[in-house]
Amino acid sequence: MKYEAVGRAIFPRISNSRMVEFVTRFSAFNNRYYNGPTGLESSNWLVSQIQDSITQSKYPGNATVRTFRHTWVQNSVICRLQGSQPGLIILGAHLDSLNGALGATGRAPGADDNASGSVAILEALRVLLETGFVPTISVEFQWYAAEEQGLRGSGDIAQDYYNKGEDVMSMMNFDVVGYNTGITKVAFAIDNTDSGFTQFLRLVVDAYLDYGWMNFSCGYACSDHASWTKFRYPSAFPAEAKFFPDMHTVRDTIDNVDFNQVREFVKLAVGYVVELGEPASL
Ligand code: ZN
């Protein structure tokens, strides 16, 4: 692909230990429930992690982080790398977690669902900041509140961007990327997604990853990509090949997350940003 050398040169900066540290702390909140105190604390902590990364990287471009407020307690979080040309490409992952049986107070570590996706886009952001990657097309990293409540956080943001006439060129959603049963493939949802954009990401996998790819169907609007599809923005949903069977329980813990697999998704995120964001300098 066009910027493969640029993308591959960034890969050695990807740190599994930094991702382990993040998931350890993110899954230590009692839960990240959308309408409770630890739901808010976890999103505030994420903001501080991003702000620290921007500050410490001495990023040569324009990087900003903000919260997106909703009608409930937990905020969504958006970090933007400003480009010089019109258009916007998005990477998204939901930050909330849920104990399906116990709700607001139940323990929900949400390590695979979805600290794994959250850390994958965060780590991609961090290595891009460290490299001093300034895009031509603006790039946003978005962490959504309240996915587990019917895609409500991403739904609010997609609606807001649609109302403002934002030129969203593509949205890639990471939700559950860490569970590994030995299938070394990225699984692409073929429903509620854009076939052309998905096909482009298969080519990114072929060019950049050690993993291969496969297809699957959710059968319904199963995660935040569907919020963007609803407004006719091209979206894609690459995920772990077999979903973790104990999601939404106390058993969704870090020992079920394979960080070498998460690393493959970080590479997919970096490849996506480099190829569609296009380096303005390096
Ligand atoms: Zn999820």
Side-chain angles (χ1 to χ4, degrees):
M1 301 188 92
K2 192 172 179 185
Y3 298 110
E4 212 170 312
V6 174
R8 285 183 172 278
I10 295 171
F11 291 171
R13 295 178 183 272
I14 301 169
S15 168
N16 284 26
S17 62
R18 183 162 63 178
M19 293 196 287
V20 169
E21 190 183 337
F22 179 90
V23 173
T24 299
R25 294 180 64 177
F26 215 42
S27 57
F29 289 98
N30 181 50
N31 59 45
R32 302 187 299 279
Y33 187 72
Y34 82 116
N35 213 9
T38 50
L40 176 59
E41 286 168 27
S42 59
S43 65
N44 287 343
W45 180 72
L46 173 61
V47 171
S48 72
Q49 292 292 298
I50 296 164
Q51 191 57 61
D52 287 351
S53 296
I54 293 171
T55 304
Q56 288 163 15
S57 68
K58 299 184 172 60
Y59 184 62
N62 179 355
T64 51
V65 61
R66 67 183 174 105
T67 54
F68 187 104
R69 292 175 189 276
H70 304 282
T71 56
W72 54 88
V73 168
Q74 184 179 57
N75 299 319
S76 295
V77 178
I78 299 174
C79 178
R80 181 179 177 96
L81 305 182
Q82 183 64 41
S84 55
Q85 298 294 319
L88 176 64
I89 70 167
I90 295 172
L91 303 89
H94 75 84
L95 68 92
D96 64 317
S97 71
L98 178 68
N99 183 312
L102 299 176
T105 57
R107 173 80 178 118
D112 186 45
D113 185 15
N114 184 32
S116 69
S118 294
V119 79
I121 67 169
L122 176 64
E123 185 64 16
L125 169 64
R126 284 170 158 171
V127 296
L128 289 160
L129 288 169
E130 287 176 3
T131 311
F133 178 86
V134 178
T136 303
I137 309 295
S138 295
V139 182
E140 285 192 358
F141 299 77
Q142 304 183 334
W143 291 263
Y144 304 117
E147 186 271 350
E148 304 287 9
Q149 308 299 323
L151 319 181
R152 293 177 66 185
S154 60
D156 281 359
I157 295 173
Q159 173 82 65
D160 181 62
Y161 282 34
Y162 179 79
N163 292 347
K164 289 174 175 165
E166 291 277 359
D167 181 15
V168 178
M169 299 162 72
S170 56
M171 184 277 177
M172 180 175 73
N173 178 37
F174 280 180
D175 187 3
V176 297
V177 304
Y179 183 59
N180 181 2
T181 55
I183 306 168
T184 55
K185 290 177 179 172
V186 171
F188 285 100
I190 57 168
D191 57 337
N192 284 291
T193 54
D194 182 82
S195 59
F197 177 45
T198 299
Q199 181 56 24
F200 166 77
L201 290 178
R202 292 187 188 106
L203 300 178
V204 174
V205 169
D206 289 342
Y208 283 87
L209 272 62
D210 297 329
Y211 268 33
W213 53 265
M214 55 183 272
N215 298 323
F216 78 106
S217 297
C218 268
Y220 68 107
C222 63
S223 186
D224 295 307
H225 56 280
S227 293
W228 298 88
T229 300
K230 184 178 165 187
F231 292 99
R232 300 180 186 274
Y233 291 126
S235 79
F237 178 33
E240 60 201 18
K242 184 182 183 310
F243 284 0
F244 179 59
D246 288 335
M247 64 169 66
H248 307 158
T249 74
V250 295
R251 293 181 296 280
D252 184 0
T253 51
I254 193 169
D255 47 303
N256 296 299
V257 175
D258 174 4
F259 284 87
N260 287 323
Q261 175 165 297
V262 178
R263 187 185 192 92
E264 290 294 300
F265 283 83
V266 178
K267 289 158 64 178
L268 174 56
V270 169
Y272 163 52
V273 169
V274 169
E275 293 293 337
L276 290 191
E278 300 186 32
S281 67
L282 263 183

